[in-house]
């Protein structure tokens, strides 16, 4: 019994860490989304202001800062996931899948952008991200089942559905033959990017709530056990 309570205490701490990492990523994604919208509106109204007025450089700087913050949030999330590797086997497998995705991304960065191999590796990376999520949901749902928290498990199902739709959308978008260097196709590219980012924010919002509620459920269980 003591060992079980210690595991739940550790799981609560690491799930909370994963929640914190995702919050940082979500804020960064929202900032990036705002930057893309601003760039799109400026490009449609007066393209010259993006180049002459220095708006492009400022937008790119904020986008870079958001990307760095997103990377930091991702590291925090993964530290939490690594800490859960001994709690449930799916957590360990999820972390290993993430390591594979890192290798895939490193290899794809060496490929020519737009090439067939680059596209394939990009698709593999997207699918691996979905696999990691599925494994985390499976492991966490098992913990919630032990606590009788069906409400959290139902939220996990919604998280899976939203992320599945988001992933399919990104896969389709990655396969579209859009030339970003073409002035005529650039607005289409930006609009699709905004739509996918908005849906990703919604999916991440649900996932953040799921992680937070899972950590809260474990904390409540520990509090009740200590009474």
């Amino acid at each position: 019994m003591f060992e079980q309570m210690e595991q739940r205490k550790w799981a609560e701490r690491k799930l909370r860490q994963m929640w914190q990492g995702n919050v940082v990523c979500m804020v960064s994604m929202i900032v990036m989304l705002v930057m893309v919208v601003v760039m799109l509106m400026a490009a449609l109204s007066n393209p010259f202001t993006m180049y002459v007025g220095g708006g492009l450089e400022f937008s790119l700087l904020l986008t870079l800062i958001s990307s760095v913050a997103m990377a930091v949030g991702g590291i925090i999330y993964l530290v939490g996931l690594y800490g859960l590797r001994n709690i449930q086997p799916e957590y360990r497998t999820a972390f290993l899948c993430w390591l594979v995705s890192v290798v895939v991304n490193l290899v794809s960065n060496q490929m020519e952008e737009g090439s067939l191999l680059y596209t394939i590796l990009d698709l593999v990376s997207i699918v691996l991200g979905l696999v990691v999520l599925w494994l985390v949901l499976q492991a966490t749902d098992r913990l919630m089942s032990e606590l009788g928290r069906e409400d959290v498990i139902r939220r996990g199902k919604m998280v899976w559905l939203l992320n599945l739709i988001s992933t399919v959308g990104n896969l389709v978008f990655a396969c579209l033959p859009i030339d970003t260097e073409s002035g005529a196709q650039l607005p289409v590219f930006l609009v699709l990017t905004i739509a996918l980012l908005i849906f990703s924010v919604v999916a991440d919002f649900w996932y953040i709530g799921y992680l937070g509620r899972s950590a809260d459920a474990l904390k409540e269980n520990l509090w009740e056990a200590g009474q």
Side-chain angles (χ1 to χ4, degrees):
M1 182 65 178
F2 176 76
E3 182 180 354
Q4 184 184 48
M5 298 309 294
E6 285 299 311
Q7 284 187 340
R8 288 180 180 178
K9 184 184 297 183
W10 181 257
E12 184 270 331
R13 187 182 307 166
K14 291 304 172 181
L15 284 171
R16 189 80 63 188
Q17 193 170 15
M18 292 171 67
W19 174 84
Q20 292 169 347
N22 261 19
V23 168
V24 174
C25 288
M26 185 175 185
V27 172
S28 303
M29 188 181 298
I30 291 175
V31 172
M32 190 176 297
L33 176 61
V34 171
M35 287 302 98
V36 173
V37 172
V38 170
M39 291 175 66
L40 176 61
M41 293 177 62
L44 293 177
S45 61
N46 187 1
F48 292 103
T49 58
M50 291 297 295
Y51 300 96
V52 179
L56 180 61
E57 290 80 0
F58 180 71
S59 299
L60 291 177
L61 177 61
L62 289 181
T63 302
L64 177 61
I65 295 174
S66 298
S67 300
V68 173
M70 190 176 298
V72 172
I75 292 173
I76 296 173
Y77 174 87
L78 290 168
V79 169
L81 178 58
Y82 178 77
L84 290 168
R85 68 193 184 284
N86 294 325
I87 301 297
Q88 295 288 344
E90 287 87 354
Y91 287 130
R92 182 185 298 108
T93 306
F95 186 78
L96 292 176
C97 287
W98 173 80
L99 291 179
V100 173
S101 71
V102 170
V103 174
V104 171
N105 285 326
L106 290 176
V107 174
S108 66
N109 288 336
Q110 305 304 316
M111 302 293 104
E112 181 182 355
E113 187 173 353
S115 65
L116 177 61
L117 185 57
Y118 177 89
T119 302
I120 293 175
L121 292 175
D122 190 39
L123 296 179
V124 170
S125 178
I126 293 174
V127 172
L128 282 173
L130 189 63
V131 171
V132 170
L133 174 66
W134 183 82
L135 290 168
V136 170
L137 291 174
Q138 291 297 306
T140 309
D141 281 352
R142 187 176 298 114
L143 294 176
M144 295 300 102
S145 180
E146 294 175 359
L147 304 180
R149 294 299 300 266
E150 294 297 324
D151 57 320
V152 181
I153 295 175
R154 286 194 298 271
R155 188 179 184 92
K157 293 179 180 179
M158 178 60 70
V159 170
W160 171 250
L161 178 61
L162 291 174
N163 280 274
L164 180 61
I165 296 173
S166 177
T167 301
V168 171
N170 279 291
L171 287 172
V172 173
F173 181 67
C175 296
L176 291 178
I178 298 179
D179 183 9
T180 56
E181 297 181 358
S182 172
Q185 295 186 8
L186 182 58
V188 176
F189 173 80
L190 291 175
V191 169
L192 290 177
T193 300
I194 292 172
L196 289 173
L197 280 173
I198 291 175
F199 201 90
S200 295
V201 168
V202 174
D204 284 344
F205 176 80
W206 276 82
Y207 186 39
I208 288 172
Y210 172 80
L211 292 173
R213 291 190 183 187
S214 298
D216 289 341
L218 288 167
K219 187 175 182 179
E220 291 169 7
N221 178 260
L222 290 169
W223 185 83
E224 293 172 357
Q227 296 298 308

